Structure formats: C-alpha cells, structure tokens
Amino acid sequence: MTVKESNSWIRIREELLRRINERVWQPGETIPGEAELAEEFGCARTTVNRALRDLAEAGLVTRRRKAGTRVAVNPPHKATFTIPIIREEVEARGSSYSHSLLKREKRPLPTSLHAAFPVGDEAFLLYTETVYFADDRPFMFEERYTNIDATPAFAEAAFDLISPNEWLVQNAPFTTGDLTCYAANAGPALSGLYECQDNTPLFVMERVTFNQTQPITHVRMTYSPGYRLRTGF
Amino acid sequence: MTVKESNSWIRIREELLRRINERVWQPGETIPGEAELAEEFGCARTTVNRALRDLAEAGLVTRRRKAGTRVAVNPPHKATFTIPIIREEVEARGSSYSHSLLKREKRPLPTSLHAAFPVGDEAFLLYTETVYFADDRPFMFEERYTNIDATPAFAEAAFDLISPNEWLVQNAPFTTGDLTCYAANAGPALSGLYECQDNTPLFVMERVTFNQTQPITHVRMTYSPGYRLRTGF
DNA sequence: GAGTGGTCTAGACCACATT
DNA sequence: ATGTGGTCTAGACCACTCC
C-alpha cells in the first residue's frame, strides 16, 4: 500500500530534525514512540531506531527505556576536532615539513605532571624535545615524556626521518586520552626560538594518552606566535 | 549449534579492536569481509556491520564498497568536546554564577570579521558585550554579533535573567559552525577587568554558527587568566 | 507489571567501486 | 560484470525503568 519510494533512515532523520527545529515538538516534550513513527513513515521500526539513535548521538534528543524519547532542552553541541599529525598539519598549509630532535634523555617526571600522568616513580621515562618546522621556520615546540615500559621500541627509534609524534601514532595504539589547551607567554626559553618578545602570547596544548589504564605519553606542544586551532562542527 | 551466550556487537567490536591493536591485522591490511566474520562469530552479518561501522566512525578502519575494510594506517584520533553553556561550566566548578550586560547596540560588523561571518552590509546586527562571573570574579568576557534577521526575538530579550549565550542555545537552533582557539594578550581593554598586566596571556575562543547557510551569531570569548580548556577522548 | 528502547536474526535488494 | 558494504524488513526477545 505504501508508495514504492526508496525509504532511507536519513530522510526520516531530517524530517524528525525539522520537527524539532521548527518546534513542532517542544524542547522537553516526549515524542511518539518508535513503533508509532514506523507506522507513520511506513517503514520498519529498525529504520526509525537508526534515525533516532543518530539524533541521540548528536545530543538533540535523549532516550530512556520506558520513559521514551524527549527533545533535549538545551542541546549540548559537540565539536569534534581531529588531532593531527604535525607533518600533515604543516603540509596541509602548503609548507614544507621538517623536524629536529634537540634532546633525548632519561628523565624523571616533574612533580607538576604527576597528577596528570600517573606512572610509578621507578618507571623508565624517556624525555624528548623536538622542534617542528614549516618552511624552515619553527612551527611548534614539543616536550614529551614517554613511558618506555609501555612501548619499549620507542627507546630504540632514531627520530631523524620519523618524528616522535608520528612514531607514536603509528606504533603505540591508545584507548583514551586527555587534552588541555591554554595560553602562556613565550618566556626566555622560547622567545629565542621564535624570535619574539618574552611576553608574546602562545597557544599551548597538552595531551596525555593511555592504553587501557597504562600511561603512554605526556606531551606539551607550544605553537608559534599567531597559531590558531580551527575546527568545524 | 552456536553457544547460547548473549552475542553483542560490542563484544565483536572489542575483539576486532584487539586484533588491530595487537597487529594481528597490520595497518593498511584488508580484513575479512562482513559475511566471513559473521560466520566466524556465529552471528548475523548485520551485527558485524554494526561493530565495523562503529570502528569506522572512530577512524580505526576505512571502508569502501567492493574494496573492503582496511585497518587505518595512522588512525586520525578525534577529540570530541562539548561546547558548554557558560552557566553550567561555572556551576560545574562549584562556583556561583552571574552575568552582566555591558553593551547592547546596533553595530556594523568589523571588516576583520567579514570573512568569517558572511552577512550583507545592510544586515541588522546586534552587538552585545557581556561579562560572566564565577563567585563574583570575572570569568569570561564575551563580544557577540547576532544576526537579528535570522532570530528576531533576540532583539526583544532582556538579558538580566538569561544570558545571550543561553538565550541563543535555547532559541536559535543551528546546523553547523566553526570554532577557533588562540592566545592573546589582555591589553589595555581587559587588564582592568581581570586586574592583571597588559601582557598577561589569555585564552580566546571564537565561534560562528549557521542555520543552513544563514549566519546566526559570531562570538569572541576571552577567558580570565589561567583558564584551561579540557576534554577527554 | 508493563511499556519503551536496545539489540539480534535471516534474508533480501541496492549502490558503488573495482576489475 | 562482480564483489563488497549499505540499508531495509518483519519479527522476536531482552533490559531497563517508570509506575
């Protein structure tokens, strides 16, 4: 009896989205159940489920068994940004990429990082300091502590061709991580590298990664003056 | 013939993930097809599809019709962070929230923002300047241009109880947006508000939102000294 | 207890990219 | 042309949670 048109879960999602955006269903209101919607759209309940699951992942509706599906009151919008490989980030700007390893030594974790990077005091941590260049100009300065117990081969790698950043991405899978961004002044340590004033504001990103519960690496990346982190959503 | 255990797509995803992480399947390698895996796990192909789709969304495998499913060479890790409502962000820190509207006037868009926020020259833009407080101390300073043509009711709202931020979240649905983060000095304009030196580095976030192609609002948020943006992934 | 979403199945057809 | 993933169906059972 239904029209022979191709039904797609995306089409259904868009229609549901329209009703939400146009306030056909008010924020906080419970919308019809999957079965009812399936009948309205003349499709299987599975298909409606697919559409609603998608909207739920986007945070536009909240779903609970028995309670039903409600339109979110203030949709918590999420921005997803891809953590780039530095080489790809530089090349995407049309610049030529290179890097240079400045330091590589066994070094204990500073107490200031102890909370963020929970390794035992006896852990073997390799500290590396790397400058990444775009067109032979310093682009980013990286200070990294890597847990050799978690990824032994890292200690053997020569970082002339492949950077610590890229080596870890390819060889040390991780399951979770944390990311922190803030602003800091260049200070005496970096004003020389970037040929700027001590009080030049710089964008800093710190990252910790774990494989299950095992800490892999902690890295602080201080970008050159004027750097902007961009993402769509 | 199959064991009577509850089969779940999550279980299958974890097993596939294990094989990827432990290099049972090498990066770049094509893994068995859905049908073959379904037979191995003794489940329907749909269930394997669900697991693989999830891994593909996470960027760990790439899938193409006919070509099959391959393990990603360098998994592009994605960090998802939730764009918070300022009030919720402040209250989540255990502080008491308040805000204060400093300015509210019709104002043309500065030419510097013309590229990021494409509205016509004749558009009615309302400029608002708001300070957000945590425990009566300035927490964030917001400069916002809002396209009244897109959301007329914004011009009528009194922002004493509800802030521009929250008003828009609840009343102006949007489909896409852009986000930019960078570091800037406080300068003369903000050193007074935050009671800091002119050269104090501050964390700045700029956001543009659109409904379809219609620009809604452009906002620059300059956070107080020491602010850190955090997210897990 | 009962109603809702979450998941699974077996089968089918289709879209697409590779060959 | 062919093989692979993408989607859809109709039905079923289960898990959770509200009442």
Side-chain angles (χ1 to χ4, degrees), chain B residues 33-80:
Chain B
E34 292 188 350
E36 191 174 335
L37 289 170
E39 190 177 5
E40 176 192 340
F41 291 118
C43 68
R45 184 167 78 90
T46 317
T47 307
V48 173
N49 180 284
R50 181 85 158 88
L52 280 170
R53 185 170 9 110
D54 207 59
L55 291 174
E57 281 174 10
L60 283 128
V61 299
T62 58
R63 321 193 70 193
R64 288 204 325 270
R65 288 164 148 114
K66 169 74 181 175
T69 303
R70 289 167 173 271
V71 179
V73 274
N74 21 232
H77 285 283
K78 292 168 186 169
T80 307

Side-chain angles (χ1 to χ4, degrees), chain A residues 182-195:
Chain A
Y182 59 94
N185 274 338
L190 290 178
S191 57
L193 174 68
Y194 289 133
E195 295 176 356

Side-chain angles (χ1 to χ4, degrees), chain A residues 7-9 42-47 50 64-67:
Chain A
N7 227 337
S8 135
W9 67 271
C43 69
R45 185 167 75 90
T46 318
T47 307
R50 182 88 158 85
R64 287 202 326 270
R65 288 164 149 114
K66 168 72 180 178

Side-chain angles (χ1 to χ4, degrees), chain A residues 17-37:
Chain A
L17 188 56
R18 189 190 64 79
R19 296 184 190 178
I20 291 170
N21 281 343
E22 295 184 3
R23 298 287 192 270
V24 177
W25 293 323
Q26 297 291 323
E29 184 179 345
T30 301
I31 74 175
E34 293 188 349
E36 191 174 335
L37 289 170

Side-chain angles (χ1 to χ4, degrees), chain B residues 29-202:
Chain B
E29 183 179 345
T30 301
I31 74 176
E34 292 188 350
E36 191 174 335
L37 289 170
E39 190 177 5
E40 176 192 340
F41 291 118
C43 68
R45 184 167 78 90
T46 317
T47 307
V48 173
N49 180 284
R50 181 85 158 88
L52 280 170
R53 185 170 9 110
D54 207 59
L55 291 174
E57 281 174 10
L60 283 128
V61 299
T62 58
R63 321 193 70 193
R64 288 204 325 270
R65 288 164 148 114
K66 169 74 181 175
T69 303
R70 289 167 173 271
V71 179
V73 274
N74 21 232
H77 285 283
K78 292 168 186 169
T80 307
F81 90 95
T82 310
I83 299 171
I85 296 177
I86 305 299
R87 184 173 54 75
E88 292 179 353
E89 188 175 12
V90 168
E91 288 172 350
R93 295 166 171 244
S95 300
S96 74
Y97 164 86
S98 62
H99 68 265
S100 170
L101 191 69
L102 301 185
K103 286 187 185 168
R104 175 214 193 91
E105 60 193 41
K106 184 174 178 177
R107 189 187 278 199
L109 195 70
T111 51
S112 59
L113 297 183
H114 231 274
F117 195 57
V119 290
D121 289 337
E122 72 293 347
F124 179 10
L125 293 182
L126 191 63
Y127 173 77
T128 49
E129 215 172 84
T130 314
V131 185
Y132 295 81
F133 297 92
D135 288 333
D136 298 323
R137 298 183 46 174
F139 176 72
M140 190 269 278
F141 176 72
E142 176 192 278
E143 306 158 85
R144 181 186 293 273
Y145 291 88
T146 304
N147 182 8
I148 297 302
D149 296 337
T151 171
F154 186 82
E156 313 303 330
F159 296 119
D160 45 355
L161 288 179
I162 189 170
S163 70
N165 174 298
E166 210 159 341
W167 192 97
L168 285 165
V169 167
Q170 294 178 1
N171 298 289
F174 62 88
T175 53
T176 61
D178 285 294
L179 186 76
T180 304
C181 300
Y182 57 95
N185 274 336
L190 290 178
S191 57
L193 175 67
Y194 289 133
E195 295 177 356
C196 64
Q197 303 288 326
D198 277 15
N199 59 24
T200 303
L202 300 179

Side-chain angles (χ1 to χ4, degrees), chain A residues 119-133:
Chain A
V119 290
D121 290 336
E122 73 293 347
F124 179 9
L125 293 182
L126 191 64
Y127 174 77
T128 50
E129 217 173 84
T130 315
V131 185
Y132 295 83
F133 297 90

